[in-house]
Amino acid sequence: MTTTLLRTADELHARTRAGRRAVVMTMGALHEGHATLIRTARELAGPDGEVVVTVFVNPLQFGAGEDLDRYPRTLDADLELAGQSGADVVFAPSVDEVYPGGEPQVRISAGPMGARLEGASRPGHFDGMLTVVAKLLHLTRPDLALYGQKDAQQLALIRRMVRDLNFGVEIVGVPTVREEDGLALSSRNRYLSPEQRRTALSLSRALFAGSDRHAAQEALRARAREVPATHARAEALSAIGESRAAADAHAVAKALPGAPTAVRAAARLILDDAARLTPPLELDYLALVDPSDFTEIDDDFNGEAVLAVAARVGTTRLIDNIPLVFGTPGAAS
């Protein structure tokens, strides 16, 4: 399909549209992860709707010493991929278009959640991210906006901003897209040498190890719940030879460490091994958090959680995460 390149908000506002407008915000250097977002936006907008992809490298999101200058800028390739994926418009404004008169004096504050994990490692990053997202939402005027779940904390903060500040837009999270070897797609992957890439695979391997441990413990706890160790139940089960199984399930379930503790430990083993590789993985954080506020969860937690990791391989910083569900959400421990 033909994709139109626009540089100003006035040009975008002048377009006529009959259906809903869906926006995918990017900093360019588009890859299959972005393509998945665009295709999902196309499906949600429908044949009468409009899909807008923004390409803007936001200077407010880069701290001192970060990679603003070397961040890849590939607009021609981005335009082609966006069109192939179903975009109607690529909106690529200049810095002056987004920030007329220079950097804004009034900005969005990410609040307490924005100071944790990524915010602690990159002070001011989330304030800059939310400020440009707010501006791009105003400039593009969408009905819905789509963001990848790979940036889980970013997605959570955007949802919080939209709710707290009454933005009239629907926020849609799209699952992380991975390469065949498990590495989460990122524009920064291109910086990795073959040796660095092998080390970087430890991020996803750690998450999958944590997920496997979580699944095993949840299955055992479910078994223990199904065969409660009461005297009457044990007597009833003994007739079919299940009393020992019931007792064993309860004994093992009670002896297990808390599921969140075990999940963290399983992931940590992989990351500790990766720290001894050549080149080594330099861990920034491993966290198992409540996605509503990104605070660490306790062992009696029930509900949705995010296992998140960030690390450096050489000079490249990578992040990844995986969603988990503990117990029965809302149930008593």
Side-chain angles (χ1 to χ4, degrees):
M1 64 182 297
T2 301
T3 303
T4 302
L5 175 63
L6 301 179
R7 296 287 192 173
T8 70
D10 286 343
E11 292 174 314
L12 185 59
H13 298 166
R15 290 177 61 87
T16 58
R17 55 188 172 103
R20 299 197 300 171
R21 173 177 285 168
V23 164
V24 174
M25 297 183 184
T26 82
M27 293 205 299
L30 303 188
H31 49 63
E32 181 57 28
H34 297 110
T36 298
L37 286 168
I38 297 166
R39 288 193 292 267
T40 304
R42 180 78 272 160
E43 293 174 5
L44 294 176
D48 296 327
E50 182 180 62
V51 175
V52 176
V53 176
T54 69
V55 175
F56 180 67
V57 181
N58 178 33
L60 300 189
Q61 289 176 237
F62 292 81
E66 293 190 332
D67 55 357
L68 173 61
D69 290 337
R70 73 166 184 153
Y71 196 87
R73 291 162 172 82
T74 57
L75 184 58
D76 289 342
D78 294 344
L79 189 63
E80 182 176 357
L81 185 146
Q84 292 172 350
S85 304
D88 299 292
V89 173
V90 168
F91 177 52
S94 66
V95 173
D96 288 341
E97 176 73 11
V98 178
Y99 300 120
E103 292 191 4
Q105 296 185 34
V106 177
R107 306 188 185 194
I108 301 290
S109 169
M113 195 197 314
R116 299 174 185 132
L117 299 187
E118 284 298 292
S121 298
R122 306 174 67 190
H125 166 71
F126 284 128
D127 291 354
M129 179 275 294
L130 289 179
T131 298
V132 78
V133 167
K135 289 181 72 68
L136 288 172
L137 287 174
H138 291 315
L139 291 171
T140 59
R141 301 175 183 174
D143 299 287
L144 61 157
L146 293 84
Y147 303 90
Q149 292 178 357
K150 183 178 79 72
D151 296 299
Q153 193 172 4
Q154 170 180 285
L155 175 59
L157 282 162
I158 291 171
R159 283 179 165 150
R160 185 73 191 218
M161 176 185 73
V162 165
R163 182 171 68 252
D164 286 355
L165 301 184
N166 302 102
F167 280 69
V169 61
E170 176 187 354
I171 302 300
V172 178
V174 178
T176 300
V177 178
R178 299 183 180 278
E179 300 191 39
E180 289 186 3
D181 57 10
L183 188 67
L185 282 173
S186 169
S187 300
R188 292 186 169 93
N189 290 351
R190 68 186 67 196
Y191 300 149
L192 298 171
S193 69
E195 295 78 14
Q196 290 172 337
R197 184 185 174 89
R198 284 195 289 271
T199 296
L201 289 175
S202 299
L203 271 73
S204 57
R205 288 173 181 163
L207 296 179
F208 297 150
S211 178
D212 289 346
R213 178 64 60 86
H214 165 264
Q217 293 210 244
E218 288 295 313
L220 186 56
R221 292 181 192 283
R223 171 62 175 158
R225 288 193 296 269
E226 290 170 3
V227 285
T230 66
H231 180 70
R233 179 63 169 164
E235 285 186 346
L237 290 171
S238 64
I240 54 174
E242 292 191 16
S243 58
R244 179 60 182 271
D248 286 350
H250 273 278
V252 175
K254 289 181 179 179
L256 284 172
T261 295
V263 167
R264 292 184 184 98
R268 175 70 68 169
L269 282 175
I270 304 297
L271 297 171
D272 287 347
D273 286 344
R276 295 186 285 271
L277 296 176
T278 302
L281 185 83
E282 299 176 21
L283 183 64
D284 190 343
Y285 62 75
L286 171 69
L288 184 55
V289 298
D290 182 337
S292 69
D293 58 9
F294 271 69
T295 57
E296 292 280 353
I297 64 172
D298 297 325
D299 279 347
D300 60 355
F301 181 84
N302 281 296
E304 296 180 0
V306 173
L307 180 63
V309 63
R312 288 186 182 276
V313 182
T315 59
T316 303
R317 187 174 185 276
L318 300 170
I319 64 172
D320 201 353
N321 71 83
I322 194 169
L324 301 173
V325 178
F326 289 88
T328 303
S333 301

mmCIF file of all heavy atoms in Angstrom, residues 141-176:
data_model
loop_
_atom_site.group_PDB
_atom_site.id
_atom_site.type_symbol
_atom_site.label_atom_id
_atom_site.label_comp_id
_atom_site.label_asym_id
_atom_site.label_seq_id
_atom_site.Cartn_x
_atom_site.Cartn_y
_atom_site.Cartn_z
ATOM 1 N N ARG A 141 -3.677 12.862 17.727
ATOM 2 C CA ARG A 141 -5.111 12.748 18.054
ATOM 3 C C ARG A 141 -5.682 11.357 17.730
ATOM 4 O O ARG A 141 -6.661 11.231 16.989
ATOM 5 C CB ARG A 141 -5.900 13.824 17.301
ATOM 6 C CG ARG A 141 -5.449 15.240 17.624
ATOM 7 C CD ARG A 141 -6.177 16.272 16.761
ATOM 8 N NE ARG A 141 -5.697 17.618 17.035
ATOM 9 C CZ ARG A 141 -6.074 18.701 16.358
ATOM 10 N NH1 ARG A 141 -6.953 18.584 15.354
ATOM 11 N NH2 ARG A 141 -5.598 19.892 16.665
ATOM 12 N N PRO A 142 -5.100 10.288 18.300
ATOM 13 C CA PRO A 142 -5.579 8.941 17.975
ATOM 14 C C PRO A 142 -6.763 8.518 18.840
ATOM 15 O O PRO A 142 -7.037 9.099 19.892
ATOM 16 C CB PRO A 142 -4.364 8.072 18.294
ATOM 17 C CG PRO A 142 -3.732 8.782 19.459
ATOM 18 C CD PRO A 142 -3.932 10.260 19.188
ATOM 19 N N ASP A 143 -7.433 7.477 18.376
ATOM 20 C CA ASP A 143 -8.448 6.808 19.186
ATOM 21 C C ASP A 143 -7.821 5.710 20.031
ATOM 22 O O ASP A 143 -8.309 5.390 21.115
ATOM 23 C CB ASP A 143 -9.534 6.214 18.284
ATOM 24 C CG ASP A 143 -10.247 7.286 17.480
ATOM 25 O OD1 ASP A 143 -11.033 8.031 18.088
ATOM 26 O OD2 ASP A 143 -9.996 7.391 16.265
ATOM 27 N N LEU A 144 -6.753 5.108 19.510
ATOM 28 C CA LEU A 144 -6.020 4.108 20.267
ATOM 29 C C LEU A 144 -4.544 4.184 19.913
ATOM 30 O O LEU A 144 -4.181 4.605 18.808
ATOM 31 C CB LEU A 144 -6.555 2.693 20.024
ATOM 32 C CG LEU A 144 -6.522 2.103 18.616
ATOM 33 C CD1 LEU A 144 -6.543 0.580 18.676
ATOM 34 C CD2 LEU A 144 -7.744 2.566 17.821
ATOM 35 N N ALA A 145 -3.705 3.807 20.875
ATOM 36 C CA ALA A 145 -2.259 3.820 20.676
ATOM 37 C C ALA A 145 -1.695 2.496 21.170
ATOM 38 O O ALA A 145 -2.107 1.990 22.216
ATOM 39 C CB ALA A 145 -1.615 4.985 21.429
ATOM 40 N N LEU A 146 -0.760 1.927 20.408
ATOM 41 C CA LEU A 146 -0.231 0.606 20.697
ATOM 42 C C LEU A 146 1.237 0.683 21.095
ATOM 43 O O LEU A 146 2.021 1.428 20.485
ATOM 44 C CB LEU A 146 -0.369 -0.310 19.479
ATOM 45 C CG LEU A 146 -1.798 -0.676 19.060
ATOM 46 C CD1 LEU A 146 -2.407 0.415 18.170
ATOM 47 C CD2 LEU A 146 -1.826 -2.010 18.322
ATOM 48 N N TYR A 147 1.602 -0.117 22.121
ATOM 49 C CA TYR A 147 2.968 -0.148 22.634
ATOM 50 C C TYR A 147 3.348 -1.591 22.934
ATOM 51 O O TYR A 147 2.507 -2.395 23.328
ATOM 52 C CB TYR A 147 3.109 0.697 23.905
ATOM 53 C CG TYR A 147 2.701 2.136 23.712
ATOM 54 C CD1 TYR A 147 1.387 2.536 23.921
ATOM 55 C CD2 TYR A 147 3.626 3.087 23.300
ATOM 56 C CE1 TYR A 147 0.997 3.855 23.721
ATOM 57 C CE2 TYR A 147 3.251 4.409 23.094
ATOM 58 C CZ TYR A 147 1.931 4.791 23.309
ATOM 59 O OH TYR A 147 1.549 6.091 23.106
ATOM 60 N N GLY A 148 4.631 -1.913 22.764
ATOM 61 C CA GLY A 148 5.096 -3.270 23.006
ATOM 62 C C GLY A 148 5.264 -3.563 24.483
ATOM 63 O O GLY A 148 5.670 -2.701 25.263
ATOM 64 N N GLN A 149 4.986 -4.801 24.856
ATOM 65 C CA GLN A 149 5.136 -5.213 26.251
ATOM 66 C C GLN A 149 6.591 -5.446 26.642
ATOM 67 O O GLN A 149 6.881 -5.619 27.820
ATOM 68 C CB GLN A 149 4.306 -6.467 26.510
ATOM 69 C CG GLN A 149 2.805 -6.218 26.447
ATOM 70 C CD GLN A 149 1.970 -7.461 26.652
ATOM 71 O OE1 GLN A 149 2.498 -8.567 26.801
ATOM 72 N NE2 GLN A 149 0.655 -7.306 26.640
ATOM 73 N N LYS A 150 7.513 -5.440 25.668
ATOM 74 C CA LYS A 150 8.933 -5.563 26.026
ATOM 75 C C LYS A 150 9.345 -4.425 26.942
ATOM 76 O O LYS A 150 10.124 -4.611 27.875
ATOM 77 C CB LYS A 150 9.812 -5.582 24.775
ATOM 78 C CG LYS A 150 11.297 -5.792 25.111
ATOM 79 C CD LYS A 150 12.147 -5.869 23.869
ATOM 80 C CE LYS A 150 12.440 -4.505 23.302
ATOM 81 N NZ LYS A 150 13.408 -3.742 24.134
ATOM 82 N N ASP A 151 8.821 -3.237 26.691
ATOM 83 C CA ASP A 151 9.060 -2.090 27.566
ATOM 84 C C ASP A 151 7.922 -2.029 28.585
ATOM 85 O O ASP A 151 7.073 -1.130 28.554
ATOM 86 C CB ASP A 151 9.144 -0.803 26.757
ATOM 87 C CG ASP A 151 10.337 -0.813 25.801
ATOM 88 O OD1 ASP A 151 11.476 -0.910 26.283
ATOM 89 O OD2 ASP A 151 10.123 -0.739 24.580
ATOM 90 N N ALA A 152 7.901 -3.001 29.489
ATOM 91 C CA ALA A 152 6.755 -3.180 30.389
ATOM 92 C C ALA A 152 6.547 -1.991 31.312
ATOM 93 O O ALA A 152 5.419 -1.570 31.567
ATOM 94 C CB ALA A 152 6.922 -4.457 31.209
ATOM 95 N N GLN A 153 7.632 -1.433 31.827
ATOM 96 C CA GLN A 153 7.493 -0.298 32.746
ATOM 97 C C GLN A 153 7.010 0.934 31.993
ATOM 98 O O GLN A 153 6.185 1.702 32.498
ATOM 99 C CB GLN A 153 8.828 -0.029 33.444
ATOM 100 C CG GLN A 153 8.723 0.909 34.641
ATOM 101 C CD GLN A 153 10.018 0.996 35.418
ATOM 102 O OE1 GLN A 153 11.039 0.412 35.027
ATOM 103 N NE2 GLN A 153 10.008 1.728 36.519
ATOM 104 N N GLN A 154 7.509 1.127 30.789
ATOM 105 C CA GLN A 154 7.027 2.227 29.953
ATOM 106 C C GLN A 154 5.536 2.099 29.700
ATOM 107 O O GLN A 154 4.775 3.070 29.834
ATOM 108 C CB GLN A 154 7.783 2.228 28.631
ATOM 109 C CG GLN A 154 7.208 3.162 27.573
ATOM 110 C CD GLN A 154 7.988 3.135 26.283
ATOM 111 O OE1 GLN A 154 9.072 3.687 26.197
ATOM 112 N NE2 GLN A 154 7.438 2.480 25.268
ATOM 113 N N LEU A 155 5.093 0.893 29.331
ATOM 114 C CA LEU A 155 3.677 0.658 29.060
ATOM 115 C C LEU A 155 2.836 0.937 30.295
ATOM 116 O O LEU A 155 1.775 1.585 30.215
ATOM 117 C CB LEU A 155 3.476 -0.776 28.585
ATOM 118 C CG LEU A 155 2.039 -1.251 28.368
ATOM 119 C CD1 LEU A 155 1.327 -0.395 27.334
ATOM 120 C CD2 LEU A 155 2.031 -2.726 27.939
ATOM 121 N N ALA A 156 3.301 0.482 31.458
ATOM 122 C CA ALA A 156 2.555 0.706 32.696
ATOM 123 C C ALA A 156 2.443 2.197 33.013
ATOM 124 O O ALA A 156 1.389 2.675 33.459
ATOM 125 C CB ALA A 156 3.235 -0.028 33.855
ATOM 126 N N LEU A 157 3.515 2.947 32.769
ATOM 127 C CA LEU A 157 3.493 4.384 33.056
ATOM 128 C C LEU A 157 2.601 5.133 32.076
ATOM 129 O O LEU A 157 1.899 6.083 32.462
ATOM 130 C CB LEU A 157 4.914 4.946 33.022
ATOM 131 C CG LEU A 157 5.746 4.663 34.276
ATOM 132 C CD1 LEU A 157 7.224 4.852 34.004
ATOM 133 C CD2 LEU A 157 5.287 5.560 35.430
ATOM 134 N N ILE A 158 2.605 4.729 30.819
ATOM 135 C CA ILE A 158 1.716 5.380 29.848
ATOM 136 C C ILE A 158 0.261 5.136 30.231
ATOM 137 O O ILE A 158 -0.566 6.054 30.197
ATOM 138 C CB ILE A 158 2.005 4.868 28.423
ATOM 139 C CG1 ILE A 158 3.384 5.366 27.958
ATOM 140 C CG2 ILE A 158 0.922 5.339 27.450
ATOM 141 C CD1 ILE A 158 3.860 4.737 26.664
ATOM 142 N N ARG A 159 -0.058 3.910 30.606
ATOM 143 C CA ARG A 159 -1.422 3.621 31.043
ATOM 144 C C ARG A 159 -1.800 4.446 32.263
ATOM 145 O O ARG A 159 -2.919 4.945 32.372
ATOM 146 C CB ARG A 159 -1.549 2.125 31.356
ATOM 147 C CG ARG A 159 -1.670 1.259 30.115
ATOM 148 C CD ARG A 159 -1.768 -0.207 30.449
ATOM 149 N NE ARG A 159 -2.233 -0.972 29.298
ATOM 150 C CZ ARG A 159 -1.906 -2.229 29.053
ATOM 151 N NH1 ARG A 159 -1.105 -2.881 29.884
ATOM 152 N NH2 ARG A 159 -2.384 -2.845 27.980
ATOM 153 N N ARG A 160 -0.857 4.595 33.189
ATOM 154 C CA ARG A 160 -1.125 5.387 34.389
ATOM 155 C C ARG A 160 -1.344 6.855 34.037
ATOM 156 O O ARG A 160 -2.251 7.510 34.566
ATOM 157 C CB ARG A 160 0.044 5.242 35.366
ATOM 158 C CG ARG A 160 -0.182 5.917 36.704
ATOM 159 C CD ARG A 160 -1.172 5.125 37.530
ATOM 160 N NE ARG A 160 -1.611 5.857 38.694
ATOM 161 C CZ ARG A 160 -1.840 5.290 39.881
ATOM 162 N NH1 ARG A 160 -1.636 4.000 40.050
ATOM 163 N NH2 ARG A 160 -2.264 6.008 40.891
ATOM 164 N N MET A 161 -0.522 7.399 33.150
ATOM 165 C CA MET A 161 -0.664 8.788 32.743
ATOM 166 C C MET A 161 -2.013 9.025 32.079
ATOM 167 O O MET A 161 -2.720 10.006 32.389
ATOM 168 C CB MET A 161 0.455 9.179 31.782
ATOM 169 C CG MET A 161 0.328 10.610 31.232
ATOM 170 S SD MET A 161 1.575 11.028 29.985
ATOM 171 C CE MET A 161 0.996 10.068 28.575
ATOM 172 N N VAL A 162 -2.382 8.122 31.160
ATOM 173 C CA VAL A 162 -3.644 8.272 30.443
ATOM 174 C C VAL A 162 -4.824 8.233 31.414
ATOM 175 O O VAL A 162 -5.788 8.988 31.278
ATOM 176 C CB VAL A 162 -3.763 7.175 29.366
ATOM 177 C CG1 VAL A 162 -5.177 7.057 28.838
ATOM 178 C CG2 VAL A 162 -2.793 7.471 28.224
ATOM 179 N N ARG A 163 -4.733 7.346 32.422
ATOM 180 C CA ARG A 163 -5.807 7.250 33.407
ATOM 181 C C ARG A 163 -5.813 8.454 34.347
ATOM 182 O O ARG A 163 -6.855 9.066 34.595
ATOM 183 C CB ARG A 163 -5.657 5.955 34.216
ATOM 184 C CG ARG A 163 -6.754 5.752 35.242
ATOM 185 C CD ARG A 163 -6.697 4.375 35.879
ATOM 186 N NE ARG A 163 -5.519 4.189 36.725
ATOM 187 C CZ ARG A 163 -4.489 3.419 36.420
ATOM 188 N NH1 ARG A 163 -4.460 2.766 35.255
ATOM 189 N NH2 ARG A 163 -3.466 3.287 37.251
ATOM 190 N N ASP A 164 -4.649 8.825 34.867
ATOM 191 C CA ASP A 164 -4.568 9.905 35.857
ATOM 192 C C ASP A 164 -4.892 11.264 35.261
ATOM 193 O O ASP A 164 -5.454 12.133 35.950
ATOM 194 C CB ASP A 164 -3.174 9.947 36.484
ATOM 195 C CG ASP A 164 -2.933 8.814 37.475
ATOM 196 O OD1 ASP A 164 -3.880 8.042 37.744
ATOM 197 O OD2 ASP A 164 -1.798 8.693 37.981
ATOM 198 N N LEU A 165 -4.523 11.471 33.999
ATOM 199 C CA LEU A 165 -4.696 12.793 33.382
ATOM 200 C C LEU A 165 -5.840 12.831 32.373
ATOM 201 O O LEU A 165 -5.963 13.790 31.622
ATOM 202 C CB LEU A 165 -3.381 13.232 32.716
ATOM 203 C CG LEU A 165 -2.166 13.339 33.653
ATOM 204 C CD1 LEU A 165 -0.958 13.869 32.888
ATOM 205 C CD2 LEU A 165 -2.465 14.220 34.849
ATOM 206 N N ASN A 166 -6.658 11.786 32.365
ATOM 207 C CA ASN A 166 -7.891 11.784 31.556
ATOM 208 C C ASN A 166 -7.656 12.007 30.068
ATOM 209 O O ASN A 166 -8.350 12.787 29.424
ATOM 210 C CB ASN A 166 -8.878 12.830 32.099
ATOM 211 C CG ASN A 166 -9.240 12.587 33.544
ATOM 212 O OD1 ASN A 166 -8.726 13.259 34.444
ATOM 213 N ND2 ASN A 166 -10.117 11.628 33.783
ATOM 214 N N PHE A 167 -6.663 11.290 29.516
ATOM 215 C CA PHE A 167 -6.486 11.306 28.072
ATOM 216 C C PHE A 167 -7.589 10.459 27.446
ATOM 217 O O PHE A 167 -7.861 9.350 27.911
ATOM 218 C CB PHE A 167 -5.131 10.709 27.690
ATOM 219 C CG PHE A 167 -3.967 11.654 27.843
ATOM 220 C CD1 PHE A 167 -3.548 12.064 29.093
ATOM 221 C CD2 PHE A 167 -3.297 12.119 26.725
ATOM 222 C CE1 PHE A 167 -2.465 12.915 29.242
ATOM 223 C CE2 PHE A 167 -2.221 12.980 26.861
ATOM 224 C CZ PHE A 167 -1.809 13.390 28.116
ATOM 225 N N GLY A 168 -8.190 10.944 26.400
ATOM 226 C CA GLY A 168 -9.263 10.201 25.742
ATOM 227 C C GLY A 168 -8.734 9.258 24.681
ATOM 228 O O GLY A 168 -9.039 9.406 23.495
ATOM 229 N N VAL A 169 -7.924 8.273 25.101
ATOM 230 C CA VAL A 169 -7.324 7.342 24.157
ATOM 231 C C VAL A 169 -7.239 5.968 24.809
ATOM 232 O O VAL A 169 -7.026 5.842 26.011
ATOM 233 C CB VAL A 169 -5.921 7.833 23.717
ATOM 234 C CG1 VAL A 169 -4.976 7.928 24.900
ATOM 235 C CG2 VAL A 169 -5.331 6.919 22.642
ATOM 236 N N GLU A 170 -7.422 4.929 24.002
ATOM 237 C CA GLU A 170 -7.291 3.550 24.468
ATOM 238 C C GLU A 170 -5.841 3.099 24.272
ATOM 239 O O GLU A 170 -5.279 3.253 23.193
ATOM 240 C CB GLU A 170 -8.232 2.637 23.685
ATOM 241 C CG GLU A 170 -8.105 1.159 24.042
ATOM 242 C CD GLU A 170 -8.933 0.258 23.138
ATOM 243 O OE1 GLU A 170 -9.710 0.801 22.303
ATOM 244 O OE2 GLU A 170 -8.809 -0.969 23.251
ATOM 245 N N ILE A 171 -5.235 2.546 25.327
ATOM 246 C CA ILE A 171 -3.863 2.060 25.255
ATOM 247 C C ILE A 171 -3.885 0.536 25.119
ATOM 248 O O ILE A 171 -4.515 -0.160 25.909
ATOM 249 C CB ILE A 171 -3.055 2.458 26.503
ATOM 250 C CG1 ILE A 171 -3.059 3.985 26.675
ATOM 251 C CG2 ILE A 171 -1.628 1.928 26.415
ATOM 252 C CD1 ILE A 171 -2.458 4.748 25.508
ATOM 253 N N VAL A 172 -3.188 0.038 24.105
ATOM 254 C CA VAL A 172 -3.165 -1.396 23.801
ATOM 255 C C VAL A 172 -1.729 -1.903 23.924
ATOM 256 O O VAL A 172 -0.810 -1.365 23.290
ATOM 257 C CB VAL A 172 -3.694 -1.677 22.382
ATOM 258 C CG1 VAL A 172 -3.616 -3.181 22.072
ATOM 259 C CG2 VAL A 172 -5.115 -1.153 22.222
ATOM 260 N N GLY A 173 -1.519 -2.937 24.749
ATOM 261 C CA GLY A 173 -0.217 -3.576 24.865
ATOM 262 C C GLY A 173 -0.137 -4.777 23.938
ATOM 263 O O GLY A 173 -1.084 -5.560 23.845
ATOM 264 N N VAL A 174 0.993 -4.930 23.252
ATOM 265 C CA VAL A 174 1.192 -6.024 22.294
ATOM 266 C C VAL A 174 2.361 -6.880 22.774
ATOM 267 O O VAL A 174 3.422 -6.349 23.129
ATOM 268 C CB VAL A 174 1.469 -5.470 20.881
ATOM 269 C CG1 VAL A 174 1.727 -6.605 19.893
ATOM 270 C CG2 VAL A 174 0.292 -4.625 20.415
ATOM 271 N N PRO A 175 2.188 -8.221 22.815
ATOM 272 C CA PRO A 175 3.236 -9.102 23.343
ATOM 273 C C PRO A 175 4.592 -8.916 22.662
ATOM 274 O O PRO A 175 4.675 -8.561 21.481
ATOM 275 C CB PRO A 175 2.682 -10.511 23.099
ATOM 276 C CG PRO A 175 1.192 -10.321 23.101
ATOM 277 C CD PRO A 175 0.964 -8.982 22.457
ATOM 278 N N THR A 176 5.649 -9.202 23.430
ATOM 279 C CA THR A 176 7.019 -9.095 22.943
ATOM 280 C C THR A 176 7.253 -10.033 21.767
ATOM 281 O O THR A 176 6.822 -11.188 21.774
ATOM 282 C CB THR A 176 8.001 -9.450 24.080
ATOM 283 O OG1 THR A 176 7.799 -8.543 25.167
ATOM 284 C CG2 THR A 176 9.443 -9.365 23.608
#
